Amino acid sequence: MAEQQKKEQEQDINQLRKVRREKLTDLQSNGKNPFEITRFDVTCHAMDIKDNYEEMEGKQVTLAGRIMQKRVMGKASFCNVLDQSGNIQSYVARDSIGEEAYKDFKKMDIGDIVGVEGEVFKTKTGEISVHASSVKLLSKSLQILPEKYHGLTNTDMRYRQRYVDLIMNPDARDTFIKRSKILSAIRRYLDGQGFLEVETPMLVSNAGGAAARPFETHFNALDEDFKLRISLELYLKRLIVGGLERVYEIGRVFRNEGLDTRHNPEFTLMELYQAYTDYNGMMDLTENLYRHVAQEVLGTTVITYNGVEMDLGKPFERITMVDAVKKYAGVDWNEVETLEQARALAREKHVEFEDRHKKGDILSLFFEEFAEEHLIQPTFVMDHPIEISPLTKKKPENPEYVERFEFFMNGWEMANAYSELNDPIDQRERFKAQEELLAQGDEEANTTDEDFLNALEIGMPPTGGIGFGIDRMCMLLTDSAAIRDVLLFPTMKTLGGKDQ
């Protein structure tokens, strides 16, 4: 029965599409081809009128948008027009727009894009509307929009046809408007702090700066293999060497990894570097930046994600990784002296590890297993083991650990920051250790970047640096369940040989 209904619905839709094409052919044969129109001057949007009705009442306006509803009632009709800001009703009367124009209007379909000129007024029921003096067809919709009362509810189709999602789902449109405002607020804050926004290469010969597998490609003109960048770090540090004391970049990075609710193979990363500060300076900057963005975009520093309140207005908690493991796993890593002791504890606590993992790696695994999920309120987890931090300065008083923090909210890593390693001799040794891991099968290990080492030998000042996951920040600030909800066009498996 369900299969039969689906078949009948497809037949109905195909018939409706055929009718729309016939209408277009009729328009074209009568010299009214909407696709020949190149311009329509818009003076305001729907919400401009609704938000400022007292000033707008009685004024002539022109607006444009998509017909979302239409009620034809003899000599007078109503239609609902959707533009970027929202919906507004238009009253369309034959005596106001003319008999021929009214006939054309009655033939228009849901989804058609129109330009409306007219006077702002309120109907008898109190609805703010535009009394049309003309309605002009600007583009003919040849497809059928989803059923208007339920919108586009198929999640997979929402991601594949984001253009339809934005039309049918106001929440989706609002999310991406907020995303744009979040990025603007970040830029305003950093620009106000004296940072320079820069751009660095996406196509690189050595993809370093993070533990991730890169995408690889071949550049025909040079007959050389290249990679898509996995981070922004190493080029930005070169600019610090060059004397640009505060730099940041917001850009796409690419990691050849899996897909889930928090991961997409291409995503937006922001990294910034500031000379003459350390990871403590980066903590202060992170607190201030998050508060600024939330206040500017949402009007509050208290946000709610999935029903849980998180307060950005209070001082963020600061805890070392060792103390976090002690608090949530009941294991004091200060008492773990050897690799064998670490492995024994891992077996006892059922923490899986690999033969290549050293003591510090196992500490990190304990943290991921027992602590991360508890870090709901804004928290800085500091002082990571050196084994997992190849680009970070050692703590002078305890060289097994480095001056690094990860920023957590909602149990998610939101940012990663260091007191940057600026010793070229130490950095070469760290790269060497990474190369050994690579040889042992760790596909996420870094390779030696000789030009970066040369830059460090020129001399890099003491520097603090941080990387922010912009998409996760947008998820939290828009209460979005999955990363795909804040990416306009997320990566999807192709259907039938092409993305549909």
Side-chain angles (χ1 to χ4, degrees):
M1 181 66 74
E3 191 63 34
Q4 179 64 27
Q5 286 180 334
K6 185 178 179 182
K7 189 175 181 181
E8 290 173 359
Q9 285 175 350
E10 287 177 356
Q11 289 174 342
D12 290 344
I13 289 172
N14 288 335
Q15 181 60 33
L16 290 170
R17 287 179 184 145
K18 182 182 176 184
V19 170
R20 291 193 179 204
R21 287 186 180 271
E22 289 171 352
K23 287 182 180 180
L24 175 61
T25 301
D26 185 54
L27 286 166
Q28 291 169 331
S29 64
N30 286 291
K32 297 178 180 179
N33 186 357
F35 299 125
E36 291 181 352
I37 296 171
T38 59
R39 177 170 177 160
F40 184 82
D41 292 328
V42 173
T43 63
C44 63
H45 288 84
M47 295 314 295
D48 297 333
I49 297 170
K50 289 184 172 182
D51 292 344
N52 303 285
Y53 175 71
E54 291 182 3
E55 298 171 24
M56 302 293 290
E57 184 182 13
K59 289 189 176 179
Q60 290 290 318
V61 297
T62 62
L63 54 89
R66 192 179 299 274
I67 296 176
M68 298 302 291
Q69 289 178 283
K70 187 174 166 219
R71 302 191 305 280
V72 176
M73 301 180 295
K75 298 178 182 180
S77 302
F78 290 93
C79 68
N80 195 279
V81 177
L82 172 71
D83 63 20
Q84 178 179 299
S85 70
N87 285 283
I88 193 164
Q89 179 175 269
S90 178
Y91 172 68
V92 185
R94 185 191 66 182
D95 294 344
S96 298
I97 68 170
E99 191 165 343
E100 185 177 352
Y102 191 63
K103 285 180 182 177
D104 290 342
F105 169 76
K106 289 199 291 183
K107 293 177 184 177
M108 293 179 191
D109 292 303
I110 302 300
D112 285 353
I113 295 173
V114 296
V116 177
E117 297 182 45
E119 182 180 310
V120 177
F121 80 112
K122 269 187 184 176
T123 63
K124 291 178 181 178
T125 59
E127 183 165 354
I128 297 170
S129 307
V130 175
H131 187 152
S133 55
S134 78
V135 180
K136 189 173 188 178
L137 181 62
L138 304 178
S139 183
K140 183 70 185 166
S141 174
L142 301 179
Q143 276 286 10
I144 312 301
L145 290 175
E147 200 272 320
K148 61 187 176 183
Y149 295 109
H150 299 108
L152 184 61
T153 55
N154 181 300
T155 302
D156 188 73
M157 193 59 68
R158 286 183 57 210
Y159 299 146
R160 293 183 186 278
Q161 296 186 15
R162 182 67 81 187
Y163 42 91
V164 180
D165 184 33
L166 293 170
I167 294 167
M168 301 306 300
N169 294 322
D171 288 346
R173 191 162 57 250
D174 181 60
T175 291
F176 289 107
I177 290 171
K178 279 182 181 170
R179 181 187 174 109
S180 180
K181 290 179 178 178
I182 288 166
L183 288 167
S184 296
I186 290 170
R187 286 187 166 101
R188 272 193 295 276
Y189 179 79
L190 292 177
D191 292 348
Q193 296 295 312
F195 283 83
L196 298 173
E197 183 173 10
V198 298
E199 295 176 302
T200 61
M202 291 190 184
L203 203 60
V204 296
S205 57
N206 189 329
R213 288 177 60 190
F215 288 93
E216 299 182 1
T217 187
H218 186 76
F219 185 15
N220 293 334
L222 296 180
D223 193 24
E224 288 185 15
D225 291 332
F226 277 75
K227 300 177 177 68
L228 291 175
R229 66 184 181 187
I230 59 173
S231 103
L232 314 173
E233 179 166 348
L234 300 185
Y235 280 100
L236 292 178
K237 286 181 178 178
R238 287 168 167 90
L239 299 182
I240 295 290
V241 170
L244 302 181
E245 295 179 2
R246 299 186 181 204
V247 293
Y248 76 96
E249 181 174 6
I250 299 173
R252 284 294 220 215
V253 296
F254 309 86
R255 298 182 181 180
N256 200 348
E257 299 171 344
L259 292 162
D260 62 30
T261 57
R262 284 185 282 159
H263 295 89
N264 195 71
E266 60 172 311
F267 60 97
T268 302
L269 184 65
M270 181 182 76
E271 292 196 30
L272 64 86
Y273 294 85
Q274 179 179 340
Y276 311 114
T277 190
D278 62 2
Y279 75 146
N280 291 298
M282 292 296 100
M283 285 188 236
D284 294 339
L285 183 147
T286 301
E287 283 200 42
N288 292 332
L289 174 64
Y290 260 78
R291 286 188 192 123
H292 170 85
V293 171
Q295 188 64 52
E296 186 167 314
V297 176
L298 305 178
T300 178
T301 57
V302 178
I303 67 170
T304 301
Y305 184 83
N306 196 25
V308 178
E309 276 196 0
M310 286 165 266
D311 192 348
L312 294 164
K314 295 178 180 177
F316 294 4
E317 183 183 357
R318 303 186 182 195
I319 187 171
T320 66
M321 183 176 283
V322 169
D323 286 344
V325 168
K326 184 176 180 179
K327 180 176 180 179
Y328 295 109
V331 174
D332 187 350
W333 215 258
N334 290 318
E335 297 176 358
V336 179
E337 297 180 355
T338 66
L339 175 58
E340 281 310 312
Q341 285 179 305
R343 287 174 171 172
L345 277 169
R347 294 188 191 99
E348 179 187 329
K349 295 287 187 177
H350 307 291
V351 174
E352 294 184 6
F353 63 92
E354 298 176 22
D355 289 343
R356 62 183 174 84
H357 285 145
K358 297 182 174 63
K359 189 174 81 166
D361 295 300
I362 296 174
L363 168 62
S364 179
L365 293 172
F366 265 78
F367 171 75
E368 292 172 7
E369 181 71 24
F370 296 105
E372 276 191 12
E373 64 181 318
H374 299 286
L375 306 178
I376 304 302
Q377 296 301 319
T379 304
F380 295 118
V381 177
M382 308 178 295
D383 302 349
H384 293 47
I386 193 169
E387 292 91 338
I388 62 168
S389 311
L391 298 164
T392 316
K393 274 192 174 181
K394 298 173 185 174
K395 292 184 71 65
E397 71 278 12
N398 190 353
E400 288 187 9
Y401 296 90
V402 296
E403 293 191 350
R404 173 184 174 186
F405 73 78
E406 289 174 302
F407 172 49
F408 282 85
M409 288 181 65
N410 193 50
W412 303 348
E413 179 198 337
M414 305 298 294
N416 186 22
Y418 313 149
S419 296
E420 301 297 336
L421 179 60
N422 62 343
D423 178 345
I425 299 169
D426 189 357
Q427 183 64 81
R428 182 174 291 280
E429 290 301 311
R430 307 272 193 102
F431 275 143
K432 184 179 178 181
Q434 288 286 301
E435 295 274 11
E436 290 172 1
L437 290 174
L438 192 66
Q440 294 170 23
D442 185 353
E443 295 178 326
E444 296 184 348
N446 284 205
T447 55
T448 302
D449 188 328
E450 289 292 347
D451 183 71
F452 176 65
L453 288 170
N454 185 63
L456 289 187
E457 288 182 359
I458 295 292
M460 187 174 87
T463 298
I466 189 167
F468 289 90
I470 295 297
D471 304 308
R472 290 186 187 178
M473 184 182 195
C474 291
M475 286 174 67
L476 279 184
L477 296 182
T478 61
D479 197 8
S480 297
I483 191 170
R484 289 179 174 187
D485 295 325
V486 297
L487 297 175
L488 279 166
F489 301 102
T491 303
M492 304 289 289
K493 184 177 176 63
T494 54
L495 296 175
K498 66 178 183 177
D499 202 14
Q500 296 181 355

